[in-house]
Amino acid sequence: MSVTLDIRLKRANKVYHEGPIQLISSNIEVAKAGKIPGGKTEIPFEFPLQTKGNKVLYETYHGVFVNIQYTLRCDMKRSLLAKDLSRNCEFIVHCQPQKAKVVPTAVNFTITPDTLQNIRDRNVLPKFLIRGHLDATNCVISQPLTGEVVVENSDVPVKSIELQLVRVETCGCAEGYARDATEIQNIQIAEGDVCHGLSIPIYMVFPRLFTCPTLETTNFKVEFEVNVVIVLHDDHLITENFPLKLCRV
Amino acid sequence: MAAVQWRSRGRNYDAELQRCRPEAALVEFGDYHPLKPIMVTDTKTRRGARKGSTSSSSSSSSSAPADPLSSMLDGTDPLSMFAAASATEAPAMTHSSSTGDLGRKRREKEEEAVGLDFEHWSSKRGEILARFTTTEKLSINLFMGSDRGKALSPGSSAVSEKVRTRLEELDDLEEGSQRELLNLSQQDYANRIEELNQSLKEAWASDQKVKALKIVIQCSKLLSDTSVIQFYPSKFVLITDILDTFGRLVYDRIWTMCSDPRPLPDGFTVEDVNDTAKETCLNWFFKIASIRELLPRLYVEAAILKCNRFLNKSGIQETLPRLTAMIRGIGDPLVAAYTRAYLCRVGMEVAPHLKDSLNRNFFDLLGTFRQISAESVQNQLVLQRVEVPEYLTLYSPAINWILQCIAYRAPEPLLTEMMERCKTLGNNALLLNSVMRAFRPEFVAARATDFISMIKECDESGFPKHLLFGSLGRSLACADPPESERLTILNEAWKVITKVRSPQDYVNCAEIWVEFTCRHFTKREVNTVLADIIKHMTPDRAFEDAYPQLQSVIRKILTYLHDFSVLFSMERFLPFLDMFQKDSVRVEVCKSIMEVFIRHQVELTRDPVILNAMLHICKTMHDSVNALTLEDEKRSLALLIIGFIRMVSFGRDFEQQLSFCVEARATFCNLEPVLVQLIHTVNQLAMETLRVMRGSHSRKTAAFVRACAAYSFITIPSLSSIFSRLSLYLLSGQVALANQCLSQSDAFLQAAVSVLPEVPRSISVEGKLRSSESFLLDFINNFLATLLVVPDHPEHGVLYLVRGLLNMVQDYTWEDNSDAKVRVYVSALPVLAAMSQETYLYSIPKVDSNETLYGGDPKFLSEINKLCETLIGQILDHLKALGRDEQNPRRQGALAFSLFGVLLAHGDLRNNKLSQLAVNLWNLSHKHGFCETRISVRTLEFIKHQAQQPDMAHLSDTVQRLALQSRT
């Protein structure tokens, strides 16, 4: 009989960090030692957020691989016979809106069988011509993404047109970097065999909980992309990808 | 006891009457008198200046004192005041009460609210639900969304499990609940949707807002399902009800969040809304913006469109165009059209002033119109086996609604522009139809000729032309085209209508045009139209499936044609009626004709055309009565027939009238009230004859009135109600007597007496069993009063009828323990006393009563006295019997007192024995103290007053002996 011991990683391709990177740490005393009277006692406090060394404060963000979290801990030391008390709580950090004006630049697109990449057999593709534009790819996070799409013609009827909002997290590490994309919202803007030549509005509100301004640091990046997905009736899936740059103004 | 001796008191009726009569006083013209007529002239309201003018313009004819009613109200007649007020206010009241809930009421007050002339969605609902039905099986799939979600995102492998389950949770109602309901009938479907509506309300009430949202999303998803397409419009109605509920709930919730400390004013602005409310509201919009599928996202956002008011001023104004544009993403043209209708409906409610979006919706609709003939639609139709014309009609409610919103208070040029746009589109019949339905009838009527030529140019294969003509006809039914064009319009329209092959389609259209025909043309044209309808509906008994429409034709004709001689002189009217072959429908139609006849026929008639037709109609109604007919139905039929009989008059041709009654009796023998009416009519006829002959009949008229009597005599026995029989015998007897038909009168009265024993002790009055005693006593008293003037029959003994009656009374099985019999005896005494007078109280012209026959013969008088004595004997026996039974002192007292009253009024109290009897009765009635002192006192006063009259001095002795019992 032989005994083997095996170690399996849940996800082999994942880069595991040693631990979180501390951006900030400060301590203040909110109350001097002394006796607190019975009942409820409220102690007001405030302190400035000062970064540690040359680190930058980022917006609070909860992603799959990247987490930026700020917590407060309050410790209450007590006499020998009583246990010390401690409480944690998260607080949210939003950046000051940027002063700079975002100048929207429209992006036009045309999709035909010829413009497509990643296809096995171009010959089996039905003919279609889809045009459209996004009003801007550098978007204000509180404003919707807008634009238009027109199905000029299509041999196979359209089944659905969707906007897929994708978040891309990239983490740098010694061997290179790890990139991971997550769909965070999928909005259908057309259903069924839409009228040809008629412009269909592109309109998507950025979900509050899953989006943040685009973030690029030396260690990691959080970016967003939108896919215009056209599903044809024979289940052909046509996707056009647009990187977005989100900001807060 | 036989010692009682009766002597009637001699009376001088004339003198007594003179004494009773108050002195007449003339009223001067200017004097106030309560019975003088008061004229209240109607208060004229001047709209606009109403405030000032409410005070009087009414006056009474007498100048000095005003009408007490109007003077109290400052001279304004309250009724006309209400009428004036209701002209302006009532519609507003009904409106707000119909919408019912708080949120809506608030909105109604806003300046921009839609006026009352706008036909609301609620009135369309029922019509759509009734019209778009199916017998196919339906299904509700509340799981649909998540299935498709999986299928559609194969590319996003990177979606984390967590996100995926979160998305799925949003999609299905309760975790793991597969809610697919198959094989639902239409009614089941409606019930299920209503259940969802209820669970939405419940979820909301129990603070499960997310569940509520899920329900609404799932429901709106059902609208993208176009299987069983012919039911789609109804489905839309049912589901948008839920959306409306949801919109209201959300709006009211946010509204109440702002109502602390005081409710928001009606015209609130964003500044009045607190931050929590704003945040909640914003949250709703974020949640809805993340709904994955297009259709639910559109519908749900539209449902809470109004909530934009809480967030910013221009919210609604910006959202409407955006949603309008988003609808372009809906590929199925039918689904898109209905989504547009919903958006217009919400827009019209929330911001009716934003016309641009309405127009935009319509233009987009026109822009996508070619979709209808696209391959995917056609494939679907083939699959569901639905014909194109039927499919096109499914659009009507949606397009009609959109156009109605646009046309509402729209300037004429806009409507003209819309019309032009429709003209330029290829297959424009559907649109043309909607234009005619939605635009103001006046607008359409003014251009009727234009429309007709447009209809003619339409493509026949798409939208059926009869529907187009139907819509045109509907407009022309309430607005008039230029007079010169009317005949052309009718001819052009009928040319097409008459060619419609399917009887059902034909009659639907023809029915509408009947109104136009009746409005503007004469009986000739109406007759032609009727002939055409008969021609179309007779083959294969097509009329059997078209009773509602045919009934509507009759109703319309009756609305316009009130002259029944014209109506019945239309050759095809009665043949038209013959098409109603189902009994219930035929009776219904006959009833509606009769109702109009009774309401509008003012003059009595003898027109043979009317009589024949009406007899025919009434006979139809009568013949529908059978053993199963309800009492109420019989009564209403009888009332209608009676109404007809009362309108028939042959003037001086009495014989004709009588023979009409004979015929009517044969025709309507099953309806008792009709027979009763006929007897009354004949009696009236006899009296009328007497009046015309000024009281003395010729040989001919005497024979005629005997014929009338004979008619009644043979008709009465066929009545089943005993009291009808009794009263008619008595009445007919009186009429016969008045007409000097003595033997006939005798026969009637004898018959009445012989019927008496049959009177049951209890009868049913309005469904309840009641004792007949009081009715019987009433009748007998009435009968006795008549007997005063009935002369004795030469071959029978003295007072034959009185004796006969009293014998019957004696033999009748009265209720146990009742004084009824004795009370009859008491009331017979005054009659007998009246009979013994020298001159009777009343008499009948040309009829000799017993006063003349016997001329005060002592033998006759002693007969009367003997009879009275027997009666008094009986009464006294009864009193004694009552005395034995200790239970009945009150009854004994009352009876004794009434006999005392009779003695006092009719007996000759100079006779000591009678006087003694009276005193005894007085004492007896007071013995137990049940007499009301007030009455006793008044009686004594009366006697004292009587004693002062001539020949009555003896009463003052009697009164001395009547002791008043003091109350202890």
Side-chain angles (χ1 to χ4, degrees), chain B residues 545-566:
Chain B
D545 299 321
Y547 286 138
Q549 290 90 335
L550 296 177
Q551 267 179 292
S552 158
V553 168
I554 294 284
R555 259 198 307 279
K556 282 171 182 163
I557 292 177
L558 289 174
T559 318
Y560 290 93
L561 276 175
H562 291 155
D563 187 338
F564 280 80
S565 59
V566 173

PDB file of all heavy atoms in Angstrom, chain B residues 545-566:
ATOM      1  N   ASP B 545     -77.701  33.866 -35.771  1.00  0.00           N
ATOM      2  CA  ASP B 545     -76.439  34.242 -35.118  1.00  0.00           C
ATOM      3  C   ASP B 545     -76.301  35.742 -34.964  1.00  0.00           C
ATOM      4  O   ASP B 545     -75.245  36.238 -34.593  1.00  0.00           O
ATOM      5  CB  ASP B 545     -75.255  33.716 -35.935  1.00  0.00           C
ATOM      6  CG  ASP B 545     -75.294  32.217 -36.035  1.00  0.00           C
ATOM      7  OD1 ASP B 545     -75.653  31.593 -35.028  1.00  0.00           O
ATOM      8  OD2 ASP B 545     -74.997  31.693 -37.124  1.00  0.00           O
ATOM      9  N   ALA B 546     -77.334  36.474 -35.311  1.00  0.00           N
ATOM     10  CA  ALA B 546     -77.157  37.928 -35.354  1.00  0.00           C
ATOM     11  C   ALA B 546     -78.235  38.652 -34.554  1.00  0.00           C
ATOM     12  O   ALA B 546     -78.522  39.807 -34.809  1.00  0.00           O
ATOM     13  CB  ALA B 546     -77.176  38.386 -36.819  1.00  0.00           C
ATOM     14  N   TYR B 547     -78.807  37.960 -33.577  1.00  0.00           N
ATOM     15  CA  TYR B 547     -79.891  38.609 -32.832  1.00  0.00           C
ATOM     16  C   TYR B 547     -79.480  39.920 -32.185  1.00  0.00           C
ATOM     17  O   TYR B 547     -80.226  40.900 -32.253  1.00  0.00           O
ATOM     18  CB  TYR B 547     -80.476  37.647 -31.793  1.00  0.00           C
ATOM     19  CG  TYR B 547     -81.326  36.564 -32.416  1.00  0.00           C
ATOM     20  CD1 TYR B 547     -81.254  35.246 -31.994  1.00  0.00           C
ATOM     21  CD2 TYR B 547     -82.201  36.876 -33.443  1.00  0.00           C
ATOM     22  CE1 TYR B 547     -82.027  34.259 -32.578  1.00  0.00           C
ATOM     23  CE2 TYR B 547     -82.977  35.896 -34.036  1.00  0.00           C
ATOM     24  CZ  TYR B 547     -82.885  34.584 -33.602  1.00  0.00           C
ATOM     25  OH  TYR B 547     -83.646  33.626 -34.172  1.00  0.00           O
ATOM     26  N   PRO B 548     -78.301  39.993 -31.552  1.00  0.00           N
ATOM     27  CA  PRO B 548     -77.950  41.274 -30.920  1.00  0.00           C
ATOM     28  C   PRO B 548     -77.923  42.424 -31.933  1.00  0.00           C
ATOM     29  O   PRO B 548     -78.446  43.500 -31.655  1.00  0.00           O
ATOM     30  CB  PRO B 548     -76.551  41.023 -30.362  1.00  0.00           C
ATOM     31  CG  PRO B 548     -76.437  39.553 -30.232  1.00  0.00           C
ATOM     32  CD  PRO B 548     -77.297  38.961 -31.288  1.00  0.00           C
ATOM     33  N   GLN B 549     -77.364  42.161 -33.112  1.00  0.00           N
ATOM     34  CA  GLN B 549     -77.287  43.223 -34.101  1.00  0.00           C
ATOM     35  C   GLN B 549     -78.690  43.597 -34.597  1.00  0.00           C
ATOM     36  O   GLN B 549     -79.007  44.774 -34.761  1.00  0.00           O
ATOM     37  CB  GLN B 549     -76.428  42.788 -35.296  1.00  0.00           C
ATOM     38  CG  GLN B 549     -74.954  42.654 -34.979  1.00  0.00           C
ATOM     39  CD  GLN B 549     -74.576  41.265 -34.518  1.00  0.00           C
ATOM     40  OE1 GLN B 549     -75.417  40.517 -33.986  1.00  0.00           O
ATOM     41  NE2 GLN B 549     -73.325  40.893 -34.698  1.00  0.00           N
ATOM     42  N   LEU B 550     -79.498  42.566 -34.849  1.00  0.00           N
ATOM     43  CA  LEU B 550     -80.841  42.846 -35.354  1.00  0.00           C
ATOM     44  C   LEU B 550     -81.645  43.613 -34.306  1.00  0.00           C
ATOM     45  O   LEU B 550     -82.404  44.523 -34.623  1.00  0.00           O
ATOM     46  CB  LEU B 550     -81.539  41.540 -35.731  1.00  0.00           C
ATOM     47  CG  LEU B 550     -80.868  40.782 -36.894  1.00  0.00           C
ATOM     48  CD1 LEU B 550     -81.562  39.461 -37.154  1.00  0.00           C
ATOM     49  CD2 LEU B 550     -80.881  41.625 -38.156  1.00  0.00           C
ATOM     50  N   GLN B 551     -81.438  43.243 -33.062  1.00  0.00           N
ATOM     51  CA  GLN B 551     -82.125  43.977 -31.995  1.00  0.00           C
ATOM     52  C   GLN B 551     -81.689  45.435 -31.985  1.00  0.00           C
ATOM     53  O   GLN B 551     -82.494  46.333 -31.780  1.00  0.00           O
ATOM     54  CB  GLN B 551     -81.786  43.351 -30.637  1.00  0.00           C
ATOM     55  CG  GLN B 551     -82.781  42.299 -30.198  1.00  0.00           C
ATOM     56  CD  GLN B 551     -82.374  41.703 -28.874  1.00  0.00           C
ATOM     57  OE1 GLN B 551     -81.378  41.003 -28.787  1.00  0.00           O
ATOM     58  NE2 GLN B 551     -83.131  42.001 -27.839  1.00  0.00           N
ATOM     59  N   SER B 552     -80.397  45.614 -32.205  1.00  0.00           N
ATOM     60  CA  SER B 552     -79.877  46.974 -32.221  1.00  0.00           C
ATOM     61  C   SER B 552     -80.500  47.774 -33.366  1.00  0.00           C
ATOM     62  O   SER B 552     -80.779  48.967 -33.231  1.00  0.00           O
ATOM     63  CB  SER B 552     -78.363  46.922 -32.325  1.00  0.00           C
ATOM     64  OG  SER B 552     -77.866  48.097 -32.823  1.00  0.00           O
ATOM     65  N   VAL B 553     -80.739  47.106 -34.496  1.00  0.00           N
ATOM     66  CA  VAL B 553     -81.395  47.782 -35.614  1.00  0.00           C
ATOM     67  C   VAL B 553     -82.761  48.299 -35.166  1.00  0.00           C
ATOM     68  O   VAL B 553     -83.114  49.460 -35.386  1.00  0.00           O
ATOM     69  CB  VAL B 553     -81.541  46.825 -36.815  1.00  0.00           C
ATOM     70  CG1 VAL B 553     -82.464  47.420 -37.864  1.00  0.00           C
ATOM     71  CG2 VAL B 553     -80.180  46.511 -37.411  1.00  0.00           C
ATOM     72  N   ILE B 554     -83.506  47.422 -34.506  1.00  0.00           N
ATOM     73  CA  ILE B 554     -84.835  47.817 -34.028  1.00  0.00           C
ATOM     74  C   ILE B 554     -84.726  49.002 -33.066  1.00  0.00           C
ATOM     75  O   ILE B 554     -85.476  49.975 -33.160  1.00  0.00           O
ATOM     76  CB  ILE B 554     -85.508  46.626 -33.305  1.00  0.00           C
ATOM     77  CG1 ILE B 554     -85.782  45.499 -34.292  1.00  0.00           C
ATOM     78  CG2 ILE B 554     -86.777  47.054 -32.621  1.00  0.00           C
ATOM     79  CD1 ILE B 554     -86.951  45.740 -35.183  1.00  0.00           C
ATOM     80  N   ARG B 555     -83.767  48.880 -32.156  1.00  0.00           N
ATOM     81  CA  ARG B 555     -83.601  49.963 -31.175  1.00  0.00           C
ATOM     82  C   ARG B 555     -83.340  51.295 -31.866  1.00  0.00           C
ATOM     83  O   ARG B 555     -83.920  52.320 -31.510  1.00  0.00           O
ATOM     84  CB  ARG B 555     -82.424  49.648 -30.252  1.00  0.00           C
ATOM     85  CG  ARG B 555     -82.824  49.114 -28.900  1.00  0.00           C
ATOM     86  CD  ARG B 555     -81.691  49.246 -27.915  1.00  0.00           C
ATOM     87  NE  ARG B 555     -80.437  48.664 -28.382  1.00  0.00           N
ATOM     88  CZ  ARG B 555     -80.141  47.373 -28.316  1.00  0.00           C
ATOM     89  NH1 ARG B 555     -81.012  46.525 -27.786  1.00  0.00           N
ATOM     90  NH2 ARG B 555     -78.985  46.910 -28.746  1.00  0.00           N
ATOM     91  N   LYS B 556     -82.472  51.265 -32.869  1.00  0.00           N
ATOM     92  CA  LYS B 556     -82.126  52.515 -33.555  1.00  0.00           C
ATOM     93  C   LYS B 556     -83.336  53.082 -34.279  1.00  0.00           C
ATOM     94  O   LYS B 556     -83.580  54.281 -34.246  1.00  0.00           O
ATOM     95  CB  LYS B 556     -80.978  52.269 -34.526  1.00  0.00           C
ATOM     96  CG  LYS B 556     -79.654  52.197 -33.783  1.00  0.00           C
ATOM     97  CD  LYS B 556     -78.525  51.752 -34.662  1.00  0.00           C
ATOM     98  CE  LYS B 556     -77.263  51.665 -33.820  1.00  0.00           C
ATOM     99  NZ  LYS B 556     -76.221  50.883 -34.484  1.00  0.00           N
ATOM    100  N   ILE B 557     -84.077  52.187 -34.942  1.00  0.00           N
ATOM    101  CA  ILE B 557     -85.255  52.678 -35.654  1.00  0.00           C
ATOM    102  C   ILE B 557     -86.223  53.315 -34.662  1.00  0.00           C
ATOM    103  O   ILE B 557     -86.770  54.396 -34.901  1.00  0.00           O
ATOM    104  CB  ILE B 557     -85.927  51.520 -36.424  1.00  0.00           C
ATOM    105  CG1 ILE B 557     -85.001  51.077 -37.551  1.00  0.00           C
ATOM    106  CG2 ILE B 557     -87.264  51.950 -36.956  1.00  0.00           C
ATOM    107  CD1 ILE B 557     -85.505  49.902 -38.330  1.00  0.00           C
ATOM    108  N   LEU B 558     -86.395  52.658 -33.531  1.00  0.00           N
ATOM    109  CA  LEU B 558     -87.344  53.175 -32.545  1.00  0.00           C
ATOM    110  C   LEU B 558     -86.861  54.491 -31.940  1.00  0.00           C
ATOM    111  O   LEU B 558     -87.673  55.281 -31.465  1.00  0.00           O
ATOM    112  CB  LEU B 558     -87.562  52.147 -31.431  1.00  0.00           C
ATOM    113  CG  LEU B 558     -88.347  50.906 -31.838  1.00  0.00           C
ATOM    114  CD1 LEU B 558     -88.380  49.904 -30.711  1.00  0.00           C
ATOM    115  CD2 LEU B 558     -89.755  51.278 -32.252  1.00  0.00           C
ATOM    116  N   THR B 559     -85.550  54.709 -31.949  1.00  0.00           N
ATOM    117  CA  THR B 559     -85.046  55.970 -31.402  1.00  0.00           C
ATOM    118  C   THR B 559     -85.447  57.133 -32.294  1.00  0.00           C
ATOM    119  O   THR B 559     -85.675  58.240 -31.824  1.00  0.00           O
ATOM    120  CB  THR B 559     -83.509  55.928 -31.317  1.00  0.00           C
ATOM    121  OG1 THR B 559     -83.123  54.662 -30.831  1.00  0.00           O
ATOM    122  CG2 THR B 559     -82.980  57.009 -30.423  1.00  0.00           C
ATOM    123  N   TYR B 560     -85.520  56.864 -33.592  1.00  0.00           N
ATOM    124  CA  TYR B 560     -85.775  57.971 -34.503  1.00  0.00           C
ATOM    125  C   TYR B 560     -87.215  58.023 -34.987  1.00  0.00           C
ATOM    126  O   TYR B 560     -87.721  59.074 -35.318  1.00  0.00           O
ATOM    127  CB  TYR B 560     -84.819  57.890 -35.695  1.00  0.00           C
ATOM    128  CG  TYR B 560     -83.398  58.211 -35.295  1.00  0.00           C
ATOM    129  CD1 TYR B 560     -82.507  57.210 -34.939  1.00  0.00           C
ATOM    130  CD2 TYR B 560     -82.968  59.531 -35.223  1.00  0.00           C
ATOM    131  CE1 TYR B 560     -81.217  57.517 -34.544  1.00  0.00           C
ATOM    132  CE2 TYR B 560     -81.680  59.841 -34.825  1.00  0.00           C
ATOM    133  CZ  TYR B 560     -80.806  58.836 -34.492  1.00  0.00           C
ATOM    134  OH  TYR B 560     -79.537  59.154 -34.095  1.00  0.00           O
ATOM    135  N   LEU B 561     -87.851  56.874 -35.088  1.00  0.00           N
ATOM    136  CA  LEU B 561     -89.209  56.858 -35.619  1.00  0.00           C
ATOM    137  C   LEU B 561     -90.206  56.639 -34.490  1.00  0.00           C
ATOM    138  O   LEU B 561     -90.355  55.527 -33.997  1.00  0.00           O
ATOM    139  CB  LEU B 561     -89.352  55.729 -36.642  1.00  0.00           C
ATOM    140  CG  LEU B 561     -88.895  56.056 -38.057  1.00  0.00           C
ATOM    141  CD1 LEU B 561     -88.974  54.820 -38.918  1.00  0.00           C
ATOM    142  CD2 LEU B 561     -89.746  57.156 -38.640  1.00  0.00           C
ATOM    143  N   HIS B 562     -90.870  57.714 -34.095  1.00  0.00           N
ATOM    144  CA  HIS B 562     -91.835  57.566 -33.010  1.00  0.00           C
ATOM    145  C   HIS B 562     -93.259  57.530 -33.517  1.00  0.00           C
ATOM    146  O   HIS B 562     -94.174  57.263 -32.765  1.00  0.00           O
ATOM    147  CB  HIS B 562     -91.674  58.709 -32.010  1.00  0.00           C
ATOM    148  CG  HIS B 562     -90.394  58.616 -31.256  1.00  0.00           C
ATOM    149  ND1 HIS B 562     -89.789  59.703 -30.693  1.00  0.00           N
ATOM    150  CD2 HIS B 562     -89.605  57.560 -30.985  1.00  0.00           C
ATOM    151  CE1 HIS B 562     -88.676  59.316 -30.101  1.00  0.00           C
ATOM    152  NE2 HIS B 562     -88.540  58.017 -30.276  1.00  0.00           N
ATOM    153  N   ASP B 563     -93.418  57.849 -34.778  1.00  0.00           N
ATOM    154  CA  ASP B 563     -94.762  57.822 -35.328  1.00  0.00           C
ATOM    155  C   ASP B 563     -95.068  56.388 -35.756  1.00  0.00           C
ATOM    156  O   ASP B 563     -94.562  55.898 -36.764  1.00  0.00           O
ATOM    157  CB  ASP B 563     -94.832  58.765 -36.532  1.00  0.00           C
ATOM    158  CG  ASP B 563     -96.249  58.892 -37.023  1.00  0.00           C
ATOM    159  OD1 ASP B 563     -97.051  57.972 -36.734  1.00  0.00           O
ATOM    160  OD2 ASP B 563     -96.560  59.888 -37.678  1.00  0.00           O
ATOM    161  N   PHE B 564     -95.912  55.744 -34.966  1.00  0.00           N
ATOM    162  CA  PHE B 564     -96.109  54.315 -35.206  1.00  0.00           C
ATOM    163  C   PHE B 564     -96.901  54.032 -36.464  1.00  0.00           C
ATOM    164  O   PHE B 564     -96.782  52.954 -37.021  1.00  0.00           O
ATOM    165  CB  PHE B 564     -96.732  53.657 -33.982  1.00  0.00           C
ATOM    166  CG  PHE B 564     -95.705  53.384 -32.927  1.00  0.00           C
ATOM    167  CD1 PHE B 564     -95.270  54.383 -32.083  1.00  0.00           C
ATOM    168  CD2 PHE B 564     -95.119  52.132 -32.821  1.00  0.00           C
ATOM    169  CE1 PHE B 564     -94.293  54.144 -31.142  1.00  0.00           C
ATOM    170  CE2 PHE B 564     -94.147  51.879 -31.884  1.00  0.00           C
ATOM    171  CZ  PHE B 564     -93.727  52.889 -31.037  1.00  0.00           C
ATOM    172  N   SER B 565     -97.692  54.992 -36.915  1.00  0.00           N
ATOM    173  CA  SER B 565     -98.415  54.712 -38.156  1.00  0.00           C
ATOM    174  C   SER B 565     -97.412  54.681 -39.308  1.00  0.00           C
ATOM    175  O   SER B 565     -97.543  53.882 -40.235  1.00  0.00           O
ATOM    176  CB  SER B 565     -99.504  55.750 -38.383  1.00  0.00           C
ATOM    177  OG  SER B 565     -98.930  57.038 -38.443  1.00  0.00           O
ATOM    178  N   VAL B 566     -96.396  55.544 -39.216  1.00  0.00           N
ATOM    179  CA  VAL B 566     -95.350  55.505 -40.244  1.00  0.00           C
ATOM    180  C   VAL B 566     -94.540  54.217 -40.107  1.00  0.00           C
ATOM    181  O   VAL B 566     -94.268  53.514 -41.074  1.00  0.00           O
ATOM    182  CB  VAL B 566     -94.413  56.732 -40.105  1.00  0.00           C
ATOM    183  CG1 VAL B 566     -93.235  56.600 -41.049  1.00  0.00           C
ATOM    184  CG2 VAL B 566     -95.177  58.006 -40.359  1.00  0.00           C
TER     185      VAL B 566
END
